[in-house]
Amino acid sequence: MPHTVSYKNYEHHTGTRAQAMAPSKETAQALARAETICRAHGVRLTTIRRTVLEALYSSQKPLGAYELADLLASNARRMAPITVYRALDFLIEQGLAHRLASRNAYISTLHDDGSQEATAYLICDGCGTVEPASSAAFAGALSDLLSRADFEPRAKVLEVAGHCSRCQGHGHGRH
Amino acid sequence: MPHTVSYKNYEHHTGTRAQAMAPSKETAQALARAETICRAHGVRLTTIRRTVLEALYSSQKPLGAYELADLLASNARRMAPITVYRALDFLIEQGLAHRLASRNAYISTLHDDGSQEATAYLICDGCGTVEPASSAAFAGALSDLLSRADFEPRAKVLEVAGHCSRCQGHGHGRH
DNA sequence: TATGAAAACGTAGTGATATAACCTATATAA
DNA sequence: TTATATAGGTTATATCACTACGTTTTCATA
């Protein structure tokens, strides 16, 4: 088998990718929290999944699936899209990542305030950053809205695009 | 020119598509309102645009762009995707249609309560219907959230997937 | 009523996002 | 150790959205 990458021990293999710079202390702590959550859920935070989560956590902007694939590529061999999507699906199921439907992009939720029922994501058109925002009043109002409509919620997509405090008034953004 | 559809008079041509069943009285009234809005904005509600809007308005479920293209096809000749997207872009700009980011699908806003700053769309996993929902409290809480974050909003994506009142408790839905 | 500019649309191709199908490898527990 | 479930690899394809460019129509003006 000439061209095929050695198939065994891919856990170790993926561990040697370009991304393998030592994570910051904060990142390491966040990943440790993720590890704990996964153990509690009885699921496995494998190398691929951890690598994807770390990339999302470290990034200042949301990342697309193909962007992640490129980012996590080792020399000339990038991750297959489906691999990234599988990792993302896992992370989203475990509540560790979030899909921004309005951008087809993904972020880590390890920065979020986990105590709120409803988190809105504020996406800056200028600098691309995303800030989670929540309040009891907002969660309550939404909950009222839903119960008044007798609607049983499963997934909430709450996103606002605009300009963050730092990007207002000096021509940032695209319109 | 053997295969090419006669190019002139396409306004009339599109008017003769399969969809040309007489709209209901309610639909006709909604379309008349749309017409009025467009005239007020100084823009044109052409046949294609009106046809797309009518399809969205009449549909019980949100429709994808390619779904619309199929729906509005005349004998064996369906609308090109770009044509649909152009019509949708127009309708969205005029506030007549809305894109559901979580579904890659589109709905008419002619049912909405136009008086609210923030409308959440409740998307039923069971029957596929979408209900707009809004309240002063919800709009206010969101507005507070945004001003507290010093965030200048441009576009709001507020969608909740779940089960509507009619689809609760009898095994509808996909999970 | 000519005509020139802008808006709308047609046609072909492509980019971007996401998943299907099927197989191999690994982890976990009996 | 072996059965089983879970995870990942590989290839191909589905789905959604847009670019580029030419043609037609509309509308205001000459």
Side-chain angles (χ1 to χ4, degrees), chain A residues 38-127:
Chain A
C38 286
R39 233 189 303 268
H41 292 189
V43 296
R44 302 198 301 250
L45 188 61
T46 63
T47 301
I48 289 180
R49 292 164 175 178
R50 187 170 45 249
T51 308
V52 168
L53 180 57
E54 183 186 333
L56 291 179
Y57 184 84
S58 308
S59 171
Q60 296 303 308
K61 315 177 302 130
L63 298 173
Y66 283 71
E67 239 173 319
L68 278 163
D70 287 337
L71 220 76
L72 304 181
S74 68
N75 326 311
R77 185 166 185 79
R78 83 168 197 175
M79 214 176 262
I82 185 71
T83 301
V84 178
Y85 280 109
R86 287 199 277 230
L88 287 170
D89 285 348
F90 171 86
L91 295 171
I92 290 167
E93 262 172 37
Q94 304 309 317
L96 298 169
H98 180 81
R99 176 184 146 88
L100 290 175
S102 63
R103 295 293 173 106
N104 296 324
Y106 303 83
I107 57 177
S108 150
T109 59
L110 290 169
H111 289 111
D112 293 19
D113 174 2
S115 72
Q116 293 292 347
E117 258 309 300
T119 299
Y121 293 94
L122 312 185
I123 308 167
C124 182
D125 291 330
C127 59

Side-chain angles (χ1 to χ4, degrees), chain B residues 12-81:
Chain B
H12 177 269
H13 173 69
T14 55
T16 65
R17 286 171 189 279
Q19 198 62 3
M21 285 190 72
S24 76
K25 191 162 190 177
E26 192 207 334
T27 304
Q29 286 177 355
L31 290 176
R33 255 185 297 144
E35 188 75 58
T36 302
I37 291 169
C38 287
R39 233 189 303 265
H41 292 189
V43 296
R44 300 198 302 247
L45 187 61
T46 63
T47 302
I48 290 179
R49 292 163 175 177
R50 187 171 44 249
T51 308
V52 168
L53 180 58
E54 182 186 334
L56 291 178
Y57 183 84
S58 307
S59 171
Q60 296 304 306
K61 317 177 302 131
L63 297 173
Y66 282 71
E67 239 173 319
L68 278 162
D70 288 337
L71 240 117
L72 305 182
S74 68
N75 326 310
R77 185 165 185 81
R78 82 168 200 174
M79 215 175 261

Side-chain angles (χ1 to χ4, degrees), chain B residues 50-173:
Chain B
R50 187 171 44 249
T51 308
V52 168
L53 180 58
E54 182 186 334
L56 291 178
Y57 183 84
S58 307
S59 171
Q60 296 304 306
K61 317 177 302 131
L63 297 173
Y66 282 71
E67 239 173 319
L68 278 162
D70 288 337
L71 240 117
L72 305 182
S74 68
N75 326 310
R77 185 165 185 81
R78 82 168 200 174
M79 215 175 261
I82 187 66
T83 301
V84 178
Y85 280 111
R86 286 199 279 230
L88 288 169
D89 285 348
F90 170 87
L91 294 171
I92 290 167
E93 262 173 36
Q94 304 308 317
L96 298 169
H98 179 82
R99 176 184 145 90
L100 290 175
S102 63
R103 295 292 173 105
N104 297 324
Y106 304 83
I107 56 177
S108 150
T109 59
L110 291 169
H111 289 110
D112 293 21
D113 174 2
S115 72
Q116 294 291 347
E117 257 310 298
T119 299
Y121 293 94
L122 313 185
I123 308 167
C124 181
D125 293 330
C127 58
T129 58
V130 178
E131 282 297 321
S134 55
S135 75
F138 179 63
L142 178 55
S143 172
D144 281 358
L145 211 61
L146 295 173
S147 57
R148 195 136 21 93
D150 195 15
F151 192 90
E152 181 63 35
R154 177 183 53 80
K156 295 169 184 156
V157 174
L158 307 168
E159 303 170 15
V160 181
H163 282 99
C164 75
S165 51
R166 287 182 307 280
C167 293
Q168 285 170 33
H170 36 78
H172 281 240

